[in-house]
Amino acid sequence: MAPRPEEAGGGGGAASAPPRGLGREMAAVLAGGSGRAAREAARRSAVRPPPSGGWGCAPAGKRYLLTEEDIKLQEFQQMKVAIRNELHGNKDQYFKNIKEKLKKNGIILRNELKNLLHLCQNSSDVELARKIIYRYHEQNRITALHNFKFGPLFMRLCYELDLERPAVELIKDQNLHGFFSDSTSFHILMTMLFKKGHFESALEVLVEMKKQGIPFNKETYLLAVAICYKLGSPESSKISARLLEEAQLKGDTLPLRAYCFAMAAALKQNDVAQAKFYCSQIMRTENKLYNNLKVLVQLRSGLLKEVINTLEAAVEVDTPPFVKRTEFSEQVLATVREKMEESPDLSVKLGDIYTKLQASGQITMCTLEDMLFQIPSSKKTTAKLLNQKQLGCQGTNPLWSNLLLG
């Protein structure tokens, strides 16, 4: 992690009673410190936007939070091919030898488990790998924490084969304590559960990570706040606030997107004050998602003139031809237009600004949900999984109806 925070910001609000809907134990595990301390920490830091890179609408129906570089699935698949070639495709004989060793209570070597995980192709293979993992961990329990990290390999395997059940069972099993001693294992599993829409289960994995004492980092907080956003309840919104508060108290770096998810979650709960607080912590304001959310916060606060000022500033800003101007979602602008009908003068002014935005190519059909799940291009590879093609913007999501019009 870089000595200088990549993106940092303020945490959210005073502590409140443990939420009931998600369970008192879960809330207690994820509870953070005081709001005052978080705010003090926030004043000493500034939120910065992601590095420059390509932004596109999230693929239709796809919701990703981490890049391919984070998951390293392609790298895992390439290694699978390499190991299969090394063994000349003789997987059956290799599995037979491993089963024989298991039967005779023989010592499982590190490379044997590593090869096995790369040779698995279906759920039956994973079941054998599961047995070997237990045997290997039992034999190497003392040195496991200083040994090769097998947790991410197993999670990538489960991710590839779409097998969340064995992944969840093993990561929660106390008999394997120390085997999943890294944040990457938990991140991959939470990402898999998130993709499948299992947000409660993803939150449970986050709680397990906390219980096992695995340190949180910026990817953890991004996943956590996004999960809470998708759960969309008052309880999950409180958990999100506590987690951001905790991060500030610890001095952890936080992605700007984490604060944008928190802003969106607060707006969905009609907690405009909390959304305004998150908005106030973001010091670098050229980010597209931030500006769209800022307009909504101003709108929901009844600050119609400030909305006009924000949009007008985006049109009139003097930027070099090669610098992309801030875009606004047609979805957001439609909401603004509806609200501005209360003031004929402002409505006329908005019409003029809209025309200018349109002429300068600053209106996008991407929805706010699309923007939340956009990932900047990685320094090494395009931020997409399994070489999936960009499919364009998704239509308006019903999840946003309360946020936009509430």
Side-chain angles (χ1 to χ4, degrees):
M1 191 174 293
R4 189 175 179 181
E6 174 194 355
E7 302 157 334
S16 52
R20 296 178 181 177
L22 296 171
R24 288 184 177 274
E25 181 187 9
M26 188 175 295
V29 171
L30 294 174
S34 71
R36 179 182 298 176
R39 284 171 170 78
E40 287 300 320
R43 293 189 187 99
R44 296 192 294 269
S45 48
V47 175
R48 301 186 180 186
S52 60
W55 290 82
C57 291
K62 303 295 182 184
R63 289 295 178 256
Y64 299 139
L65 293 168
L66 302 182
T67 66
E68 160 61 26
E69 190 177 343
D70 295 317
I71 302 293
K72 289 184 167 61
L73 183 60
Q74 292 180 26
E75 185 179 311
F76 172 71
Q77 291 171 328
Q78 290 166 1
M79 185 59 70
K80 288 184 77 170
V81 173
I83 289 176
R84 188 166 63 243
N85 290 339
E86 280 181 19
L87 297 172
H88 307 291
N90 201 355
K91 170 194 163 185
D92 292 341
Q93 184 61 47
Y94 191 89
F95 273 46
K96 183 178 180 182
N97 294 341
I98 285 287
K99 288 177 182 177
E100 192 65 26
K101 227 179 185 186
L102 187 65
K103 186 177 180 181
K104 293 181 178 179
N105 202 28
I107 298 294
I108 305 297
L109 302 178
R110 185 180 72 174
N111 280 345
E112 288 177 329
L113 176 55
K114 188 177 179 181
N115 288 342
L116 179 68
L117 290 174
H118 284 96
L119 289 170
C120 289
Q121 295 176 319
N122 52 50
S123 58
S124 178
D125 293 347
V126 172
E127 185 56 36
L128 173 62
R130 176 179 177 146
K131 294 175 182 177
I132 299 299
I133 284 171
Y134 277 100
R135 176 63 57 81
Y136 180 86
H137 187 65
E138 183 181 355
Q139 293 170 347
N140 298 275
R141 191 183 300 270
I142 296 176
T143 59
L145 292 175
H146 309 287
N147 212 332
F148 183 84
K149 301 292 184 185
F150 281 106
L153 283 187
F154 182 73
M155 288 301 163
R156 288 183 190 113
L157 174 62
C158 292
Y159 190 103
E160 178 193 39
L161 299 178
D162 202 25
L163 298 172
E164 75 274 13
R165 184 173 177 178
V168 171
E169 289 177 356
L170 263 65
I171 211 165
K172 289 184 174 183
D173 194 336
Q174 293 304 305
N175 292 317
L176 287 176
H177 182 73
F179 188 83
F180 300 99
S181 59
D182 57 281
S183 60
T184 303
S185 296
F186 289 86
H187 292 168
I188 295 171
L189 179 52
M190 283 190 281
T191 300
M192 174 165 54
L193 293 168
F194 190 97
K195 272 182 60 182
K196 296 169 79 72
H198 300 163
F199 306 121
E200 285 275 6
S201 296
L203 188 61
E204 289 173 7
V205 171
L206 178 72
V207 171
E208 186 63 32
M209 184 177 177
K210 185 87 167 179
K211 284 181 179 178
Q212 293 188 24
I214 309 299
F216 284 13
N217 57 30
K218 62 184 180 182
E219 286 80 18
T220 314
Y221 288 113
L222 173 60
L223 284 162
V225 178
I227 289 165
C228 289
Y229 158 75
K230 291 298 281 185
L231 283 168
S233 67
E235 292 85 357
S236 63
S237 186
K238 290 173 186 175
I239 289 175
S240 176
R242 288 173 177 174
L243 287 170
L244 296 183
E245 183 178 295
E246 174 192 276
Q248 279 301 312
L249 289 169
K250 290 164 58 180
D252 288 343
T253 59
L254 288 171
L256 179 144
R257 259 202 319 161
Y259 279 91
C260 288
F261 271 116
M263 285 171 64
L267 286 173
K268 285 169 70 175
Q269 296 305 317
N270 203 29
D271 190 348
V272 180
Q274 188 71 56
K276 286 176 72 174
F277 174 72
Y278 291 139
C279 190
S280 71
Q281 306 311 302
I282 301 176
M283 307 305 172
R284 295 286 295 275
T285 58
E286 62 268 33
N287 179 267
K288 174 174 69 175
L289 174 58
Y290 162 77
N291 275 284
N292 278 266
L293 284 167
K294 178 185 175 182
V295 166
L296 284 181
V297 170
Q298 292 171 335
L299 197 66
R300 293 284 289 275
S301 302
L303 305 174
L304 302 189
K305 288 185 179 179
E306 287 194 21
V307 172
I308 292 293
N309 292 340
T310 299
L311 296 174
E312 201 166 35
V315 172
E316 295 178 353
V317 66
D318 187 19
T319 57
F322 55 86
V323 176
K324 191 172 185 179
R325 293 187 170 196
T326 300
E327 293 179 335
F328 291 93
S329 169
E330 175 63 44
Q331 181 190 33
V332 171
L333 294 175
T335 306
V336 172
R337 192 181 302 114
E338 182 178 340
K339 189 71 174 175
M340 289 294 174
E341 290 175 359
E342 300 172 5
S343 173
D345 291 343
L346 291 179
S347 184
V348 170
K349 197 162 189 178
L350 175 65
D352 294 338
I353 295 172
Y354 184 91
T355 301
K356 292 177 183 178
L357 286 170
Q358 202 168 38
S360 59
Q362 290 178 262
I363 298 179
T364 175
M365 296 308 295
C366 289
T367 66
L368 277 166
E369 182 107 338
D370 290 324
M371 290 182 186
L372 275 170
F373 289 93
Q374 288 170 353
I375 304 177
S377 294
S378 165
K379 293 178 182 178
K380 294 183 179 178
T381 183
T382 302
K384 53 189 177 181
L385 299 176
L386 295 176
N387 291 319
Q388 289 167 335
K389 295 180 179 179
Q390 299 291 338
L391 300 177
C393 300
Q394 187 181 29
T396 301
N397 193 312
L399 281 170
W400 285 93
S401 58
N402 292 335
L403 191 160
L404 292 167
L405 302 174

